[in-house]
Amino acid sequence: MDQLFITLTTGIANGAVYGLIGLGLVIIFRSTDVMNFAMASLSTLAIYVALSAYGAGVGIVVALVVAVVFGALSGVVVREALIRPLGQGKLFAALVVTMGLSIIVEHLIGQYWGEQPRRFPQLVDGTISIGNSNLMLQDIATIVLAALAVSAIAYLFTRTPLGSAMRAVAESAETAEIMGINAHRVARTAWALGMALAVLGVFLYAPKTGVSPVILAPVLFRAFAGILLGGLTSMYGAVIGGLIIGVLDNLAAAYISAGFRDTFVFCVAVLVLLIRPQGIFGRQTFERV
């Protein structure tokens, strides 16, 4: 039972990371109709910047702030420099641009910091003994910080004028413009928020795996599995889907085989999508033809 509790808690911590990344993807997608495939590489770049700042002598908390701010700014720059000039409705072009940007950023990271994995410091050191097993304080910190971040986003979208504007743009950018809402300002905010959430998740996850230019590819795919499972247009679904993926992933590794953890998780996700294609919390849409 002790081992099961540790496995579940660690799975929730991993799922919280997938949920943060998935939430960032959904916020950007709902506000701009762009699926940001460069999120993993841009987040990795932010983590390397934070690692360099930490190596220069700043504290780990300051390094976290540096990473989140850098991630948010990178989101705004990418949106303004690469996505906005494409215009509305260029979904395939935006997809190709973000995928190409991901490859370029990964190459630049490898050229500047090298290809070898690097150790990343924990935000909180130490463990708690539970029976014969140990629970890392980093996992507890991950769950707490992720919960605070999701709560802040929920407050933003439900209780503030900016959140109301972002929800209006998500429903219909054209209608929001007619109502006097600046859709471009909302889009910039969405990209900044989405990237900030993803960087926070990666910062909390990096101590487990270390950092390298392509270390986040599996994490991004698990986050995608989470948002598909929860519902592509649902922010709550992205978080809950990420938590489900994290717990299933950890249970499969602990009780089936570490080599088949992703296979098991994606089989479950595909099964759910076959039964409910819009995801658990997604809305079914109908189109007149």
Side-chain angles (χ1 to χ4, degrees), residues 18-276:
Y18 307 152
L20 286 174
I21 297 174
L23 180 58
L25 287 167
V26 169
I27 288 174
I28 293 174
F29 178 74
R30 289 196 61 185
S31 299
T32 61
D33 287 330
V34 175
M35 187 56 68
N36 182 15
F37 280 94
M39 179 170 279
S41 57
L42 291 173
S43 298
T44 303
L45 178 60
I47 294 303
Y48 270 101
V49 170
L51 186 61
S52 296
Y54 181 78
V58 305
I60 188 64
V61 175
V62 176
L64 171 60
V65 174
V66 169
V68 171
V69 171
F70 183 90
L73 291 176
S74 70
V76 174
V77 170
V78 169
R79 195 269 166 182
E80 291 298 304
L82 299 179
I83 303 302
R84 182 175 178 177
L86 296 176
Q88 293 290 333
K90 305 295 184 179
L91 303 184
F92 183 74
L95 174 67
V96 172
V97 166
T98 56
M99 292 179 68
L101 176 63
S102 177
I103 295 173
I104 292 171
V105 172
E106 288 174 3
H107 176 74
L108 292 177
I109 292 172
Q111 289 294 311
Y112 188 80
W113 282 283
E115 301 286 347
Q116 295 301 315
R118 296 190 181 191
R119 180 182 176 275
F120 195 81
Q122 293 184 344
L123 189 62
V124 182
D125 292 320
T127 60
I128 297 176
S129 296
I130 300 177
N132 295 323
S133 303
N134 293 321
L135 176 63
M136 295 176 60
L137 291 177
Q138 176 73 20
D139 286 334
I140 297 176
T142 298
I143 296 172
V144 171
L145 289 178
L148 291 174
V150 171
S151 299
I153 293 297
Y155 181 85
L156 171 68
F157 274 86
T158 58
R159 300 296 181 87
T160 66
L162 176 59
S164 299
M166 294 181 74
R167 285 189 285 115
V169 171
E171 292 297 329
S172 174
E174 292 79 7
T175 304
E177 288 275 10
I178 293 173
M179 296 172 61
I181 297 173
N182 189 331
H184 291 300
R185 182 173 69 90
V186 169
R188 287 192 294 269
T189 303
W191 275 78
L193 278 177
M195 283 302 308
L197 288 170
V199 170
L200 173 61
V202 174
F203 194 97
L204 296 171
Y205 188 80
K208 293 184 176 182
T209 60
V211 290
S212 72
V214 295
I215 197 67
L216 291 180
V219 178
L220 181 64
F221 282 116
R222 291 169 194 158
F224 270 117
I227 62 176
L228 291 175
L229 184 64
L232 184 60
T233 59
S234 172
M235 289 187 287
Y236 293 108
V239 175
I240 296 175
L243 290 173
I244 293 173
I245 292 296
V247 171
L248 290 178
D249 182 66
N250 237 37
L251 288 174
Y255 295 103
I256 300 177
S257 171
F260 290 94
R261 60 193 305 173
D262 286 336
T263 302
F264 175 77
V265 167
F266 279 92
C267 284
V268 172
V270 168
L271 180 62
V272 172
L273 291 175
L274 287 175
I275 299 171
R276 187 176 172 82

